[in-house]
Amino acid sequence: MIGMLQRQEVDVGTGPYKITYERSTAIDLTYPYLISVVRIFAGRGRGEVDPWSFLFPLTPLVWGITLTALLALITVITLLTLYLPHARRTRQLINAGNIIRVPLQQDVGESAEWWWWERVLMGVWMLTTLVLTRSYTGNLMALLAVRYIPQPLQSLQDLVDNPVKVMIIKGTAQQQAFETANGGVLRDVWELQGEGRLMLLDRFNMPDVNMLLRTGGTAYMTYGVVARPLMIADFSSTGRCDFYLGREEILPSMGAMAGPRDSPFIAAFSRRIIEVTEAGLYDFWDRTYNPNYTSCLHVSTKITVRSSLGIVNLWVDSW
């Protein structure tokens, strides 16, 4: 399109054309009517139950401390039996077994010959275990009822670090920004070509972007004004928000109409564009043209499960 303007085959291009220095040397651009940023457009994950979620209610540190305390109590009681008469050692070793029975919520053998320090030790251990087990079961129930929807691609660094493919439209200002970057994360994204992870798509022969994103493992680098209609159309047809936009905003740019060099239309169009944007008409038209405008902009990443338990849930519960 810029070539057609440069060759004066057309009088005006509605755009939006992203304003760059290279383009300004070839064509004339009007006053900008759009400010947009490039964001990551990707498919939302599915809420799934992790078979190892029975480990999640407690952090590794708590698991480690609990196991250490259990082994320490058993060791202390076992060592103390060395200072008792032989007739009492057998009974004392049974009490060491009771230390293990408490966190398993099994009955504790009664003995009228327990010493006072044994009763205190067992009482403190029972109280500690009660708090721990109640916290564990409560958190486990929450993990089974509430599932998190993963949205791992929030920044350019996430694209580099995760084994995903990145799609960029050829011949755009964003491709030029990545290609000409001398370093940093922009250059890292461009060098993904060497790993076969950067896909330069032809605008006129684009595959079904929604299908590629829905299958996972692919991200689309595009402007918000391009991604938003895709999200809206998908929500209008399915009633679900299957896609999300990454938080990081990069390559902010202004969009404008364009014409050949020294075109008399540019000044007239610029004057009217200023009037339209200052009156808020452009934003109004944008929202009117895109129904369900805000439906998928701030979707919760947590869902509450109200369905029956499946095999995976029962497998987790059995632990």
Side-chain angles (χ1 to χ4, degrees), residues 39-43 153 167 209-210 213 218-222 226-228 230-231 243-246:
R39 298 176 68 178
I40 299 171
F41 184 47
L153 305 176
M167 296 185 295
V209 173
N210 285 12
L213 298 179
T218 308
Y220 181 29
M221 293 295 301
T222 187
V226 176
R228 191 171 63 244
L230 295 177
M231 296 175 65
F243 306 100
Y244 72 96
L245 290 171

Side-chain angles (χ1 to χ4, degrees), residues 184-198:
V185 69
L186 291 178
R187 190 65 189 177
D188 293 339
V189 172
W190 182 253
E191 290 178 351
L192 293 178
Q193 285 189 103
E195 304 175 21
R197 292 172 48 196
L198 184 62

Side-chain angles (χ1 to χ4, degrees), residues 34 114 156 251 290 310-311:
L34 172 68
W114 281 17
L156 291 180
L251 304 178
N290 293 305
I311 295 297

Side-chain angles (χ1 to χ4, degrees), residues 44-50 53 56 139-152 299-305:
R44 301 176 75 220
R46 301 296 181 186
E48 299 178 354
V49 175
D50 192 328
S53 60
F56 296 160
N139 288 338
L140 181 59
M141 290 177 62
L143 285 173
L144 293 176
V146 179
R147 302 179 189 175
Y148 292 87
I149 307 298
Q151 298 182 4
V299 182
S300 175
T301 59
K302 293 179 286 188
I303 59 174
T304 302
V305 179

Side-chain angles (χ1 to χ4, degrees), residues 21 30 36 46 53 57 59 132 148 161 209 225 233 243 266 292:
Y21 172 76
T30 66
S36 186
R46 301 296 181 186
S53 60
T59 63
L132 189 65
Y148 292 87
D161 296 338
V209 173
V225 294
F243 306 100
I266 298 302
N292 302 320

